[in-house]
Amino acid sequence: MERIAVIDFETTGISPSSSCRATEIAVVILERGHIVERYQSLMNAGVRVPGFIEQLTGISNAMLRTAPSAEQVMNEVNEFVGITPLLAHNAAFDQKFWDFEMGRIKRTRLQNFACSLLLARRLMPAAPNHKLGTLTTFADLPHTGQAHRAMADAEMAANLTAYLAQQLRQKHGLKELNHDLLCGLQKVPAAKVNEHLKRYRGF
């Protein structure tokens, strides 16, 4: 499978705004089922971290005071990712923050987001739920560090994506996978996944 940039944000809330911003980002590059490159940084957007978010993520206001600016980090991330296709677990969340933070440095996203949560709902229907930690345990994949820290979550999402790609090959007979296929599959109703994938078998 082509290179995919798997991203994860930690933030001060659920919807980006002048008072709700990203506090950390991690990106791992997944290539042929393996993580080959990594980028991670805290980012100081000049907003205060609420107490409950600090408890959840472990990211404190004191840590962010010495972190590079959000603008500096997003410029570095933009350079790191380039036009590599994007993926996140619960991508609707990360996409909002990616677009918001990119907009602040006057950049526009050129590539689509695939979502490992939506893909897992279609390819792992027997899982107890589709939270990243639950899926990692269910698939017997490695827990890569503290949950709700960007690098650990990005690595787990990348490992899950590699696992889902393996399932598509072994259980559904697909030989060639690409990001466009994943983006299309995540929109297909779960009951129609097998029918949808028939067109890709043998190619």
Side-chain angles (χ1 to χ4, degrees), residues 20-145:
C20 178
R21 298 286 299 279
T23 57
E24 185 179 37
I25 186 171
V27 185
V28 298
I29 303 297
L30 186 67
E31 191 172 284
R32 300 182 184 277
H34 300 284
I35 295 171
V36 295
E37 296 178 62
R38 293 172 171 82
Y39 175 95
Q40 178 275 333
S41 182
L42 292 170
M43 47 200 294
N44 184 349
V47 298
R48 185 162 184 80
V49 180
F52 75 96
I53 294 290
E54 183 175 336
Q55 286 187 331
L56 178 69
T57 65
I59 298 171
S60 68
N61 289 292
M63 290 165 65
L64 294 183
R65 273 195 286 274
T66 57
S69 69
E71 290 76 15
Q72 177 185 331
V73 171
M74 292 309 298
N75 273 299
E76 291 175 359
V77 168
N78 184 53
E79 189 72 21
F80 180 75
V81 170
I83 59 170
T84 305
L86 295 164
L87 179 144
H89 196 77
N90 190 18
F93 173 86
D94 293 278
Q95 180 179 316
K96 286 188 299 184
F97 280 91
W98 180 271
D99 290 347
F100 183 84
E101 296 293 347
M102 281 293 179
R104 291 183 64 88
I105 61 167
K106 296 180 169 50
R107 298 288 188 274
T108 301
R109 174 170 52 89
L110 300 176
Q111 60 273 66
N112 292 324
F113 264 88
C115 179
S116 55
L117 185 151
L118 294 178
L119 291 165
R121 283 180 177 164
R122 285 147 180 80
L123 299 174
M124 300 172 68
N129 61 58
H130 294 91
K131 295 178 181 178
L132 185 55
T134 303
L135 292 167
T136 295
T137 299
F138 183 79
D140 198 25
L141 299 169
H143 286 265
T144 53

